[in-house]
Amino acid sequence: MKMRLRANFILATAVNLWMVHTVASLSNIGISHGRHANSRFLLDNGVSRTPPMGWNSWNHFWCGINESVVMSTADALVSTGLASLGYKYVNLDDCWAESERDENGKLRGKASTFPSGIKALADYVHARGLKLGIYADAGNRTCSNQMPGSLHHEYEDAKTFAQWGVDYIKYDNCYHDGTRNRERYTAMGHALQKIKRPIHFSLCEWGQEDPAKWAGAYGHSWRTTGDINDTFASVTWIADLNNRWGRYAGPGRWNDPDMLEVGSGGMTMDEYRSHFSIWSLMKAPLLIGCDLRSVSNRTLRILGNKEVIEVNQDSLGVQGRKLRSKDGLGVWAGQLSDNRVVVVLWNRSELRALITAVWRDFGLSPNTPAIVRDFWKHKYVSMNERDRLTASVAPHACKMYVLTPLQS
């Protein structure tokens, strides 16, 4: 990848000393590692050291899913090349099960829509190098009220999911008994620990009890907000809500601002690029919500932007955050591995505008030169930029850059 050419420009003997200063500076302004000291006593199982990537059925299909849709979507992930970029999870949302448990009290796939069973579906997905996700609920019924919840059946259901070969569980929060969310989600966390299968546990309690403060001890990702919808207003609202929890995220524990709407049809391409850029910068799970069997090439160019994906999957695992915003013109940034900084200039206003990020926003000296690469144009903007970066940004669009500072 072309970004690796940056090594040719870095003075190796000076960078190590300069890095210590820069990391300290970045921490001082809030682009920090966010290593919150909550103990990982349950599901520290090596899963999701980077944010999970894949597809979820709900945004497009709602309850209209069946095994043919899921299988053809798995095939589409492979044929479009998205799977090779890291989109590995094929996640069933609500409505996959029969309305009642069987005579032994077990969940079972809905015979009319999943006649081959969930185990066979998992085998199909696994055979393509992908992983299967499933949906459950920390209440008596799921949110559709069409299938049983897992409240008081946590171990039984966790064991069933493991036997089927499930790799991901989205655990929703409807029709419960009024007990605290944390208690009900802890119960499933303990159950998943007992079955000892490496399953990603996604807590979907909508941010009601500030899960960023505690959910990292029980699972791998947690919803920080209510449901997203396919509008720019929803994207901006959810981004701001998720932004406040950045310091709690890190490898194996991620803030989840809900699924991607890219390709669903309700926004412009500029708005979808902004959506994808900010979700990637925030280290959000990248779970596609559109119908991949008929996805457009323009949508694939967004979802398949390898350089933007690499920001999301960066090994340092630091959630980028909003540094400042005025009149809808924002500067978002985050620390990356190899001492780089990702910067998004986001225009949420209705008019084209100039947006400027200054080096001091990132804790850099104004005299520090930096290589600047545009991750949407896939080209270098400058090999020796200093002090500030200014761009003209269209309404609802963004510019996404990665800065590699050099020793002056």
Side-chain angles (χ1 to χ4, degrees):
M1 183 178 124
K2 288 184 178 179
M3 273 302 293
R4 294 195 175 93
L5 292 174
R6 64 181 181 273
N8 295 328
F9 304 98
I10 296 177
L11 301 175
T13 58
V15 164
N16 287 339
L17 292 175
W18 180 83
M19 186 181 297
V20 172
H21 165 74
T22 300
V23 169
S25 300
L26 292 171
S27 298
N28 288 337
I29 63 161
I31 312 180
S32 62
H33 285 231
R35 300 295 191 266
H36 182 62
N38 64 32
S39 60
R40 297 278 303 173
F41 61 91
L42 285 179
L43 289 181
D44 195 4
N45 56 9
V47 169
S48 299
R49 303 303 293 172
T50 59
M53 298 172 60
W55 172 85
N56 179 283
S57 63
W58 185 255
N59 282 3
H60 183 81
F61 292 98
W62 291 50
C63 280
I65 54 170
N66 56 60
E67 66 180 37
S68 176
V69 165
V70 178
M71 290 176 176
S72 58
T73 298
D75 292 338
L77 278 172
V78 175
S79 64
T80 58
L82 291 172
S84 66
L85 294 174
Y87 293 95
K88 298 294 187 183
Y89 288 102
V90 180
N91 292 351
L92 309 181
D93 211 282
D94 206 346
C95 308
W96 58 267
E98 293 287 2
S99 61
E100 301 296 336
R101 294 174 179 271
D102 69 13
E103 62 275 12
N104 297 313
K106 293 185 176 182
L107 293 172
R108 49 191 172 157
K110 194 172 183 179
S112 62
T113 52
F114 293 91
S116 303
I118 305 302
K119 175 64 168 65
L121 183 62
D123 291 344
Y124 186 95
V125 169
H126 291 159
R128 282 143 186 81
L130 304 173
K131 299 180 179 183
L132 185 73
I134 211 161
Y135 170 95
D137 191 281
N140 295 307
R141 303 287 294 177
T142 63
C143 291
S144 70
N145 199 22
Q146 294 191 24
M147 53 178 275
S150 294
L151 185 63
H152 307 311
H153 295 269
E154 291 86 0
Y155 177 67
E156 184 175 46
D157 290 351
K159 186 167 63 172
T160 296
F161 297 149
Q163 290 170 346
W164 286 343
V166 167
D167 306 293
Y168 185 115
I169 296 173
K170 174 184 173 181
Y171 204 46
D172 221 335
N173 194 31
C174 292
Y175 295 102
H176 56 76
D177 58 3
T179 55
R180 293 183 62 206
N181 297 345
R182 184 169 180 169
E183 295 176 12
R184 290 177 287 107
Y185 282 86
T186 301
M188 181 56 84
H190 280 291
L192 291 171
Q193 181 199 29
K194 290 178 182 177
I195 57 101
K196 298 187 183 302
R197 178 175 173 81
I199 294 175
H200 179 104
F201 184 29
S202 170
L203 294 77
C204 184
E205 62 93 85
W206 318 317
Q208 289 182 342
E209 292 181 3
D210 297 342
K213 295 180 178 180
W214 52 267
Y218 309 109
H220 305 95
S221 63
W222 48 87
R223 282 277 298 280
T224 55
T225 72
D227 290 354
I228 195 171
N229 62 60
D230 190 19
T231 65
F232 190 66
S234 178
V235 167
T236 58
W237 175 70
I238 284 179
D240 287 342
L241 290 176
N242 191 68
N243 176 63
R244 65 183 293 205
W245 304 110
R247 67 186 182 275
Y248 296 97
R253 54 188 190 275
W254 308 107
N255 292 310
D256 181 1
D258 206 2
M259 293 169 277
L260 293 167
E261 291 283 6
V262 178
S264 296
M267 287 186 269
T268 68
M269 288 296 121
D270 278 344
E271 290 169 341
Y272 282 141
R273 272 187 289 271
S274 293
H275 176 21
F276 193 67
S277 298
I278 292 295
W279 260 235
S280 294
L281 174 141
M282 291 194 300
K283 303 299 186 291
L286 298 182
L287 298 175
I288 299 166
C290 67
D291 187 353
L292 285 175
R293 304 170 305 168
S294 57
V295 66
S296 71
N297 288 331
R298 291 200 302 168
T299 295
L300 283 176
R301 282 195 291 271
I302 295 175
L303 296 172
N305 187 323
K306 185 177 180 181
E307 292 186 284
V308 176
I309 290 170
E310 287 178 350
V311 168
N312 179 262
Q313 297 290 295
D314 184 73
S315 61
L316 198 59
V318 174
Q319 177 174 326
R321 288 185 271 169
K322 179 168 58 178
L323 301 187
R324 54 185 172 84
S325 180
K326 183 179 181 181
D327 299 327
L329 309 180
V331 176
W332 295 61
Q335 188 180 351
L336 300 176
S337 59
D338 298 328
N339 212 38
R340 298 167 299 148
V341 178
V342 56
V343 180
V344 173
L345 308 180
W346 192 10
N347 182 1
R348 290 154 58 156
S349 78
E350 302 302 320
L351 299 173
R352 177 176 286 275
L354 294 176
I355 304 178
T356 297
V358 298
W359 269 210
R360 293 196 187 280
D361 286 339
F362 324 122
L364 301 180
S365 165
N367 295 321
T368 300
I371 302 166
V372 181
R373 183 169 174 83
D374 186 321
F375 268 22
W376 284 107
K377 291 185 177 179
H378 304 294
K379 67 179 185 180
Y380 291 102
V381 173
S382 174
M383 304 307 293
N384 191 32
E385 196 74 19
R386 296 173 187 262
D387 185 44
R388 65 188 58 226
L389 179 64
T390 299
S392 175
V393 187
H396 296 190
C398 76
K399 299 287 186 180
M400 188 175 196
Y401 304 101
V402 167
L403 279 57
T404 303
L406 305 174
Q407 176 64 30
S408 57

